[in-house]
Amino acid sequence: MPVRPGRDRRAQTAELVWRLRDEAGARPVPGARVGLAHNIGLGDAAVVTVPRAVEDGGTPPG
């Protein structure tokens, strides 16, 4: 699911979680189960976040 709310990693992660929870309002992604956000900082710094939807508030497997 494409997410570009801004260059801030926190904003990208929040947007992914909202979409996975069906709380994104006018920006739904029907059937989304996994999201991916990546951010590249100064030098060689990189951060990748992969949130996954969980059914009924349970614990994700593995």
Side-chain angles (χ1 to χ4, degrees):
M1 76 181 79
V3 174
R4 303 202 91 184
R7 296 169 51 163
D8 186 312
R9 176 177 44 92
R10 293 168 295 181
Q12 291 174 342
T13 302
E15 182 72 18
L16 287 173
V17 171
W18 294 333
R19 290 182 183 200
L20 291 171
R21 291 180 176 173
D22 291 327
E23 298 173 355
R27 301 172 311 282
V29 180
R33 306 291 303 140
V34 176
L36 184 141
H38 68 90
N39 209 303
I40 299 173
L42 296 174
D44 294 332
V47 176
V48 176
T49 305
V50 184
R52 177 171 50 172
V54 180
E55 296 295 327
D56 299 323
T59 303

Coordinates of all heavy atoms in Angstrom, one line a residue:
M1 N 0.8 -1.2 0.0 CA 0.0 0.0 0.0 C 0.9 1.2 0.0 O 1.8 1.4 0.8 CB -0.9 0.0 1.2 CG -0.3 0.3 2.5 SD -1.4 0.2 3.9 CE -1.4 -1.5 4.2
P2 N 0.7 2.1 -0.9 CA 1.6 3.3 -1.0 C 1.2 4.3 0.1 O 0.0 4.6 0.3 CB 1.3 3.9 -2.4 CG 0.0 3.3 -2.8 CD -0.2 2.0 -2.1
V3 N 2.1 4.8 0.8 CA 1.9 5.8 1.9 C 2.9 6.9 1.7 O 4.1 6.7 1.7 CB 2.0 5.2 3.3 CG1 1.9 6.3 4.3 CG2 1.0 4.1 3.5
R4 N 2.5 8.2 1.6 CA 3.4 9.3 1.5 C 2.9 10.5 2.2 O 2.7 11.5 1.7 CB 3.7 9.6 0.0 CG 4.2 8.4 -0.8 CD 4.9 8.9 -2.0 NE 6.3 9.0 -1.5 CZ 7.3 9.5 -2.3 NH1 7.0 9.8 -3.5 NH2 8.5 9.6 -1.8
P5 N 2.5 10.3 3.5 CA 2.0 11.4 4.3 C 3.0 12.5 4.6 O 2.7 13.6 5.0 CB 1.5 10.8 5.5 CG 2.4 9.6 5.8 CD 2.7 9.1 4.4
G6 N 4.3 12.2 4.4 CA 5.4 13.1 4.7 C 6.6 12.4 4.8 O 6.7 11.2 4.6
R7 N 7.7 13.1 5.1 CA 9.0 12.4 5.2 C 9.3 11.9 6.6 O 10.3 11.3 6.8 CB 10.1 13.4 4.8 CG 9.9 13.8 3.3 CD 10.7 15.0 3.0 NE 12.1 14.8 3.3 CZ 13.1 15.5 2.9 NH1 12.8 16.4 2.0 NH2 14.3 15.3 3.3
D8 N 8.4 12.0 7.5 CA 8.6 11.6 8.9 C 8.2 10.2 9.1 O 7.1 9.8 8.8 CB 7.7 12.5 9.8 CG 8.0 12.3 11.3 OD1 8.0 11.1 11.7 OD2 8.1 13.3 12.0
R9 N 9.2 9.4 9.6 CA 8.9 8.0 9.8 C 7.8 7.7 10.7 O 7.0 6.8 10.5 CB 10.2 7.3 10.4 CG 10.1 5.9 10.7 CD 11.4 5.3 11.2 NE 12.1 6.1 12.2 CZ 12.0 6.0 13.5 NH1 11.1 5.1 14.1 NH2 12.7 6.8 14.3
R10 N 7.6 8.5 11.8 CA 6.5 8.3 12.7 C 5.1 8.5 12.0 O 4.2 7.8 12.2 CB 6.6 9.3 13.9 CG 7.8 9.0 14.7 CD 8.0 10.0 15.7 NE 8.4 11.2 15.0 CZ 8.7 12.4 15.5 NH1 8.7 12.6 16.8 NH2 9.1 13.4 14.7
A11 N 5.0 9.5 11.1 CA 3.8 9.8 10.3 C 3.5 8.6 9.4 O 2.4 8.2 9.2 CB 3.9 11.1 9.6
Q12 N 4.6 8.1 8.7 CA 4.4 7.0 7.8 C 3.9 5.7 8.6 O 2.9 5.1 8.2 CB 5.7 6.6 7.1 CG 6.1 7.6 6.1 CD 7.5 7.3 5.6 OE1 8.3 6.5 6.1 NE2 7.8 7.9 4.5
T13 N 4.4 5.5 9.8 CA 4.0 4.3 10.5 C 2.6 4.5 11.1 O 1.8 3.5 11.0 CB 5.0 4.1 11.7 OG1 6.3 3.9 11.2 CG2 4.6 2.9 12.5
A14 N 2.3 5.7 11.5 CA 0.9 5.9 12.0 C -0.1 5.7 10.9 O -1.1 5.1 11.0 CB 0.8 7.3 12.6
E15 N 0.2 6.2 9.7 CA -0.7 6.1 8.5 C -0.9 4.6 8.2 O -2.0 4.1 7.9 CB -0.2 6.8 7.3 CG -1.0 6.8 6.1 CD -2.3 7.6 6.2 OE1 -2.4 8.5 7.1 OE2 -3.2 7.3 5.4
L16 N 0.2 3.8 8.2 CA 0.1 2.4 7.9 C -0.8 1.7 8.9 O -1.7 0.9 8.6 CB 1.5 1.7 7.9 CG 2.4 2.0 6.8 CD1 3.8 1.5 7.0 CD2 1.8 1.5 5.5
V17 N -0.6 2.0 10.2 CA -1.4 1.3 11.3 C -2.9 1.7 11.1 O -3.8 0.9 11.2 CB -0.9 1.7 12.7 CG1 -1.8 1.3 13.7 CG2 0.5 1.1 12.9
W18 N -3.2 3.0 10.8 CA -4.6 3.4 10.6 C -5.2 2.6 9.5 O -6.3 2.2 9.5 CB -4.7 4.9 10.3 CG -4.3 5.7 11.5 CD1 -4.3 5.4 12.8 CD2 -3.7 7.0 11.4 NE1 -3.9 6.5 13.6 CE2 -3.5 7.5 12.8 CE3 -3.4 7.9 10.4 CZ2 -2.9 8.7 13.1 CZ3 -2.8 9.1 10.7 CH2 -2.6 9.5 12.0
R19 N -4.4 2.5 8.4 CA -5.0 1.7 7.2 C -5.2 0.3 7.5 O -6.2 -0.3 7.1 CB -4.0 1.9 6.0 CG -4.1 3.3 5.5 CD -3.2 3.5 4.3 NE -3.2 4.8 3.8 CZ -2.8 5.2 2.6 NH1 -2.5 4.2 1.7 NH2 -2.9 6.4 2.2
L20 N -4.3 -0.4 8.3 CA -4.4 -1.8 8.6 C -5.6 -2.0 9.6 O -6.2 -3.0 9.6 CB -3.1 -2.3 9.3 CG -2.0 -2.4 8.3 CD1 -0.7 -2.8 9.1 CD2 -2.2 -3.5 7.2
R21 N -5.9 -1.0 10.4 CA -7.1 -1.0 11.3 C -8.4 -0.5 10.7 O -9.4 -0.4 11.4 CB -6.8 -0.2 12.6 CG -5.7 -0.7 13.4 CD -5.5 0.2 14.6 NE -4.5 -0.3 15.5 CZ -4.1 0.4 16.6 NH1 -4.5 1.6 16.8 NH2 -3.2 -0.1 17.4
D22 N -8.4 -0.2 9.4 CA -9.5 0.4 8.8 C -10.0 1.7 9.5 O -11.1 2.0 9.6 CB -10.7 -0.6 8.7 CG -10.4 -1.7 7.8 OD1 -9.7 -1.5 6.8 OD2 -10.9 -2.8 8.1
E23 N -9.0 2.5 9.9 CA -9.3 3.8 10.6 C -8.8 5.0 9.8 O -8.6 6.1 10.3 CB -8.6 3.8 12.0 CG -9.2 2.8 12.9 CD -8.4 2.7 14.2 OE1 -7.4 3.4 14.4 OE2 -8.8 1.9 15.1
A24 N -8.5 4.8 8.5 CA -7.9 5.8 7.6 C -8.9 6.7 7.0 O -8.5 7.6 6.2 CB -7.0 5.1 6.6
G25 N -10.1 6.6 7.3 CA -11.1 7.6 6.8 C -11.2 7.4 5.3 O -11.6 6.4 4.8
A26 N -10.9 8.5 4.6 CA -11.1 8.6 3.1 C -9.9 7.9 2.4 O -9.8 8.0 1.2 CB -11.2 10.0 2.6
R27 N -9.0 7.3 3.1 CA -7.8 6.6 2.5 C -7.8 5.1 2.7 O -6.8 4.6 3.1 CB -6.5 7.3 3.0 CG -6.5 8.8 2.8 CD -5.3 9.4 3.5 NE -5.1 9.0 4.9 CZ -5.8 9.5 5.9 NH1 -6.8 10.4 5.7 NH2 -5.6 9.1 7.2
P28 N -8.9 4.4 2.5 CA -8.9 3.0 2.8 C -8.1 2.2 1.9 O -7.8 2.6 0.7 CB -10.4 2.6 2.7 CG -10.9 3.6 1.7 CD -10.1 4.9 1.9
V29 N -7.6 1.0 2.3 CA -6.9 0.0 1.5 C -7.6 -1.3 1.8 O -7.2 -2.0 2.7 CB -5.4 0.0 1.8 CG1 -4.8 -1.1 0.9 CG2 -4.8 1.3 1.6
P30 N -8.7 -1.6 1.1 CA -9.5 -2.8 1.4 C -8.6 -4.1 1.3 O -7.8 -4.3 0.4 CB -10.5 -2.9 0.3 CG -10.6 -1.5 -0.2 CD -9.2 -0.9 0.0
G31 N -8.7 -4.9 2.4 CA -8.0 -6.2 2.4 C -6.5 -6.1 2.8 O -5.8 -7.1 2.8
A32 N -6.0 -4.9 3.2 CA -4.6 -4.8 3.5 C -4.3 -5.6 4.8 O -5.1 -5.6 5.7 CB -4.3 -3.3 3.8
R33 N -3.2 -6.3 4.8 CA -2.8 -7.2 5.9 C -1.4 -6.8 6.4 O -1.1 -7.0 7.5 CB -2.8 -8.6 5.5 CG -4.1 -9.1 4.9 CD -5.3 -9.2 5.9 NE -4.9 -10.0 7.0 CZ -5.2 -9.7 8.3 NH1 -5.9 -8.7 8.6 NH2 -4.9 -10.5 9.3
V34 N -0.6 -6.2 5.5 CA 0.8 -5.9 5.8 C 1.2 -4.6 5.2 O 0.7 -4.3 4.1 CB 1.8 -7.0 5.3 CG1 3.2 -6.6 5.6 CG2 1.5 -8.3 5.9
G35 N 1.9 -3.7 5.9 CA 2.4 -2.5 5.4 C 3.9 -2.4 5.5 O 4.5 -3.2 6.2
L36 N 4.5 -1.5 4.7 CA 5.9 -1.3 4.8 C 6.3 0.2 4.6 O 5.8 0.8 3.7 CB 6.6 -2.1 3.6 CG 8.1 -2.0 3.7 CD1 8.7 -3.4 3.2 CD2 8.7 -1.0 2.8
A37 N 7.1 0.7 5.6 CA 7.6 2.0 5.5 C 9.1 2.0 5.5 O 9.7 1.3 6.3 CB 7.0 2.9 6.6
H38 N 9.7 2.8 4.7 CA 11.2 2.9 4.8 C 11.6 4.3 4.7 O 10.9 5.2 4.2 CB 11.8 2.1 3.6 CG 11.6 2.7 2.3 ND1 12.5 3.6 1.7 CD2 10.6 2.5 1.4 CE1 12.0 4.0 0.5 NE2 10.9 3.3 0.3
N39 N 12.7 4.6 5.4 CA 13.2 6.0 5.5 C 14.7 5.9 5.5 O 15.3 5.1 6.1 CB 12.7 6.6 6.8 CG 12.5 8.1 6.7 OD1 13.5 8.7 6.4 ND2 11.3 8.5 7.0
I40 N 15.3 6.8 4.7 CA 16.7 6.9 4.6 C 17.2 8.2 5.1 O 16.7 9.3 4.8 CB 17.2 6.7 3.1 CG1 16.7 5.3 2.6 CG2 18.7 6.9 3.0 CD1 17.0 5.1 1.1
G41 N 18.1 8.1 6.1 CA 18.6 9.3 6.7 C 20.0 9.7 6.2 O 20.4 9.4 5.1
L42 N 20.7 10.4 7.1 CA 22.0 10.9 6.7 C 23.0 9.7 6.7 O 22.9 8.8 7.4 CB 22.5 11.9 7.8 CG 21.7 13.2 7.9 CD1 22.2 14.0 9.1 CD2 21.8 14.0 6.6
G43 N 23.9 9.8 5.7 CA 24.9 8.8 5.6 C 24.3 7.4 5.2 O 23.5 7.4 4.3
D44 N 24.6 6.4 6.0 CA 24.1 5.1 5.7 C 22.9 4.7 6.5 O 22.5 3.5 6.6 CB 25.2 4.0 5.9 CG 26.3 4.2 4.8 OD1 26.0 4.7 3.7 OD2 27.5 3.8 5.1
A45 N 22.3 5.6 7.3 CA 21.2 5.3 8.2 C 19.9 4.9 7.4 O 19.6 5.6 6.4 CB 20.9 6.4 9.1
A46 N 19.3 3.8 7.7 CA 18.0 3.4 7.1 C 17.2 2.7 8.1 O 17.7 2.0 9.0 CB 18.3 2.5 5.9
V47 N 15.9 3.0 8.0 CA 14.9 2.4 8.9 C 13.8 1.7 8.1 O 13.3 2.4 7.2 CB 14.3 3.4 9.9 CG1 13.2 2.7 10.8 CG2 15.4 4.0 10.7
V48 N 13.4 0.5 8.4 CA 12.3 -0.2 7.7 C 11.4 -0.7 8.8 O 11.8 -1.3 9.8 CB 12.8 -1.4 6.9 CG1 11.6 -2.1 6.3 CG2 13.8 -0.9 5.8
T49 N 10.1 -0.3 8.6 CA 9.0 -0.8 9.6 C 8.0 -1.6 8.8 O 7.6 -1.2 7.7 CB 8.3 0.5 10.2 OG1 9.3 1.3 10.7 CG2 7.3 0.1 11.2
V50 N 7.7 -2.8 9.3 CA 6.7 -3.7 8.7 C 5.6 -4.0 9.6 O 5.7 -5.1 10.3 CB 7.4 -4.9 8.1 CG1 6.4 -5.8 7.4 CG2 8.6 -4.6 7.3
P51 N 4.6 -3.2 9.8 CA 3.4 -3.6 10.6 C 2.5 -4.6 10.0 O 2.4 -4.6 8.7 CB 2.7 -2.2 10.9 CG 3.0 -1.4 9.7 CD 4.4 -1.9 9.2
R52 N 1.9 -5.4 10.8 CA 1.0 -6.5 10.2 C -0.3 -6.5 11.0 O -0.3 -6.3 12.2 CB 1.7 -7.8 10.4 CG 1.0 -9.0 10.0 CD 1.8 -10.2 10.0 NE 2.5 -10.4 11.3 CZ 3.2 -11.5 11.5 NH1 3.3 -12.5 10.7 NH2 3.8 -11.7 12.7
A53 N -1.4 -6.6 10.3 CA -2.7 -6.6 10.9 C -2.9 -7.9 11.7 O -2.4 -9.0 11.3 CB -3.8 -6.5 9.8
V54 N -3.6 -7.8 12.8 CA -3.9 -9.0 13.7 C -5.4 -9.1 13.9 O -6.0 -8.1 14.1 CB -3.2 -8.8 15.1 CG1 -3.4 -10.0 16.0 CG2 -1.7 -8.6 14.9
E55 N -5.9 -10.3 13.8 CA -7.3 -10.5 14.0 C -7.7 -10.4 15.4 O -7.1 -10.9 16.3 CB -7.7 -11.8 13.4 CG -7.5 -12.0 11.9 CD -8.4 -11.1 11.1 OE1 -9.6 -10.8 11.5 OE2 -7.9 -10.6 10.1
D56 N -8.8 -9.7 15.7 CA -9.4 -9.6 17.0 C -8.5 -9.2 18.2 O -8.6 -9.7 19.3 CB -10.1 -10.9 17.4 CG -11.2 -11.3 16.4 OD1 -11.9 -10.4 16.0 OD2 -11.3 -12.5 16.0
G57 N -7.5 -8.4 17.9 CA -6.6 -8.0 19.0 C -5.6 -9.0 19.5 O -5.0 -8.9 20.5
G58 N -5.5 -10.1 18.8 CA -4.6 -11.2 19.2 C -3.2 -11.0 19.0 O -2.8 -9.9 18.5
T59 N -2.4 -11.9 19.3 CA -0.9 -11.8 19.1 C -0.6 -12.4 17.7 O -1.0 -13.5 17.4 CB -0.2 -12.6 20.2 OG1 -0.6 -12.1 21.5 CG2 1.3 -12.5 20.0
P60 N 0.2 -11.7 16.9 CA 0.6 -12.2 15.6 C 1.5 -13.5 15.8 O 2.2 -13.6 16.8 CB 1.4 -11.1 15.0 CG 1.8 -10.2 16.1 CD 0.8 -10.4 17.2
P61 N 1.3 -14.4 14.9 CA 2.2 -15.6 15.0 C 3.6 -15.4 14.7 O 4.0 -14.4 14.0 CB 1.6 -16.5 13.9 CG 1.0 -15.6 12.9 CD 0.5 -14.4 13.7
G62 N 4.5 -16.2 15.3 CA 5.9 -16.1 15.1 C 6.5 -14.9 15.7 O 7.5 -14.4 15.6

